[in-house]
Amino acid sequence: MSLHGKVFKLANEHTIPAVGYGTGTKWYKAGVNELDTNLVNTLVKAIDLGFTHIDGAEVYNTNEEIGEAIIKSKVKRDNIFVTSKYWPGVDEPNKQTPYDSLKASLSKLKLEYVDLYLIHTPFITKEKNGFDLVEAWNSIEKLVDEGLVKSAGVSNFTVENIETILKSNPKHKPVVNQIEYSAYLQNQTPNIVKFAKENGILIEAYGPLGPLTKAKGGPLDSVLESLAKKYNKTDSQILLRWVLETGVLPVTTSSKEERIKSYLDILNFELTSDEVKQISEVGSTKTYRQFFSNYSIYD
Ligand code: NDP
């Protein structure tokens, strides 16, 4: 998977805008019913500034905000790439299949289809959910066949989880695996990035700014500072550009207009291959994981 200008091409020939705007993390509002008008307004601004890739998920409870923002923005729905994710549940297992869950999400999103539908975590079992991982995947394939989902993928999957799906000889293979990925966490689970690339699966990075937002004071600080000076960019932009240069699609977010604009500006400069290597090498001397740290498959 490589970057073609401002998009990545997926294995199924669909394209995906190179930087995603997330509606989880700071916008996460599970259990809250009122519409977050701040998120709606920020999303409208982000879309109109050029952020045409919106990352949502059932568990974030932000489908209504995404739908509102798409209606209010100046950009046509067909020119916006919308991701949603099936939530299997943790303490409360989701007994609804991906097929039924997505149909419910589409009505909240006020959309006829999503561009990408991911299984949010691999924690699906017959015992817990009433269906296993392969059956969940088959349910997503039905959505692709019916045109309600353009591309299907996974999130937080290990090599073994993906192999379970690939071994079932699926009609539609997963084309994306969205994982935590940053210069301080270059493999969420062993060998996942290399395996994905070899199998035509695009890695999407969530938490790409962790080294700056949560783990400042590490070995990368001075490297980022000097590259930021050289290119007249911020250290966040250098980190996001590094993600892109490693063939991975960054999913980030911000509530601030200046930062939203700056994220889009990572598409107009390049790091040299030595600089990419330097960030990878220095970054790999420290490990910092923000998400799912208490789950044994990610040890
Ligand atoms: P990032 O690591 O890119 O962090 C974005 C946050 O960093 C924003 O809240 C922003 O805040 C802040 N920020 C940016 N630059 C700086 C800076 N220089 N100094 C201090 N703070 C800064 O991504 P997230 O971890 O937020 O994840 C992005 C998206 O990924 C989520 O919204 C969600 O859609 C997805 N995700 C998916 C998961 C999954 O399991 N599949 C798990 C987690 C996330 P500000 O508003 O102040 O600019």
Side-chain angles (χ1 to χ4, degrees):
M1 302 295 99
S2 58
L3 187 61
H4 298 262
K6 295 185 172 184
V7 297
F8 280 90
K9 209 180 219 178
L10 297 172
N12 60 7
E13 298 298 313
H14 284 296
T15 56
I16 176 167
V19 195
Y21 184 94
T23 65
T25 47
K26 75 179 305 151
W27 304 109
Y28 184 93
K29 59 181 268 284
V32 178
N33 287 328
E34 301 103 78
L35 193 79
D36 179 349
T37 52
N38 186 21
L39 173 55
V40 175
N41 295 337
T42 309
L43 266 175
V44 172
K45 201 171 285 167
I47 296 169
D48 288 341
L49 284 168
F51 247 116
T52 53
H53 172 174
I54 311 297
D55 185 77
E58 286 153 12
V59 72
Y60 306 161
N61 194 25
T62 50
N63 280 334
E64 270 139 1
E65 285 81 355
I66 295 172
E68 276 293 302
I70 292 174
I71 291 167
K72 286 189 171 158
S73 86
K74 298 190 188 89
V75 181
K76 284 206 191 102
R77 191 284 170 247
D78 286 356
N79 295 326
I80 300 174
F81 189 102
V82 179
T83 297
S84 187
K85 307 184 196 90
Y86 171 73
W87 183 243
V90 182
D91 299 327
E92 267 181 63
N94 189 356
K95 304 270 183 190
Q96 211 175 25
T97 61
Y99 185 87
D100 291 336
S101 291
L102 193 266
K103 285 207 156 181
S105 290
L106 286 175
S107 96
K108 289 186 180 163
L109 285 161
K110 299 197 194 89
L111 295 179
E112 282 170 11
Y113 66 92
V114 293
D115 298 274
L116 179 64
Y117 194 39
L118 309 176
I119 299 184
H120 207 142
T121 71
F123 309 121
I124 297 179
T125 61
K126 197 135 197 152
E127 213 176 25
K128 185 182 126 194
N129 302 86
F131 44 87
D132 63 21
L133 204 51
V134 170
E135 286 166 328
W137 186 257
N138 296 152
S139 174
I140 290 194
E141 291 184 304
K142 196 170 157 210
L143 291 161
V144 177
D145 286 338
E146 292 183 12
L148 302 180
V149 164
K150 300 288 178 200
S151 299
V154 295
S155 177
N156 299 302
F157 272 42
T158 63
V159 168
E160 198 191 349
N161 299 146
I162 296 176
E163 276 176 337
T164 300
I165 292 179
L166 295 181
K167 279 182 194 149
S168 74
N169 203 17
K171 182 173 174 197
H172 303 289
K173 290 184 185 168
V175 292
V176 162
N177 185 17
Q178 185 182 103
I179 59 173
E180 182 177 356
Y181 177 86
S182 78
Y184 287 157
L185 190 70
Q186 294 177 36
N187 269 294
Q188 184 189 37
T189 49
N191 204 32
I192 189 62
V193 174
K194 184 163 175 277
F195 176 85
K197 286 182 180 167
E198 285 168 359
N199 284 278
I201 297 171
L202 175 70
I203 292 285
E204 288 185 359
Y206 68 76
L209 296 177
L212 282 174
T213 58
K214 304 275 164 61
K216 207 136 173 129
L220 270 177
D221 289 11
S222 58
V223 176
L224 296 176
E225 199 183 310
S226 83
L227 290 173
K229 208 176 237 171
K230 173 177 171 187
Y231 290 104
N232 195 23
K233 297 281 175 191
T234 64
D235 40 11
S236 306
Q237 287 174 306
I238 301 292
L239 266 186
L240 292 173
R241 183 70 211 182
W242 170 84
V243 172
L244 278 180
E245 304 260 8
T246 61
V248 171
L249 185 153
V251 180
T252 181
T253 196
S254 179
S255 51
K256 302 183 175 69
E257 184 167 347
E258 274 320 299
R259 243 177 224 158
I260 292 172
K261 281 188 194 152
S262 80
Y263 292 162
L264 293 164
D265 276 346
I266 64 166
L267 296 169
N268 62 16
F269 80 108
E270 282 176 23
L271 297 167
T272 67
S273 53
D274 280 348
E275 289 161 351
V276 174
K277 202 164 153 234
Q278 186 190 17
I279 296 175
S280 303
E281 282 177 3
V282 174
S284 66
T285 63
K286 177 178 167 115
T287 300
Y288 181 75
R289 185 189 296 274
Q290 294 182 64
F291 300 89
F292 295 104
S293 46
N294 52 348
Y295 285 72
S296 59
I297 66 165
Y298 302 113
D299 286 345

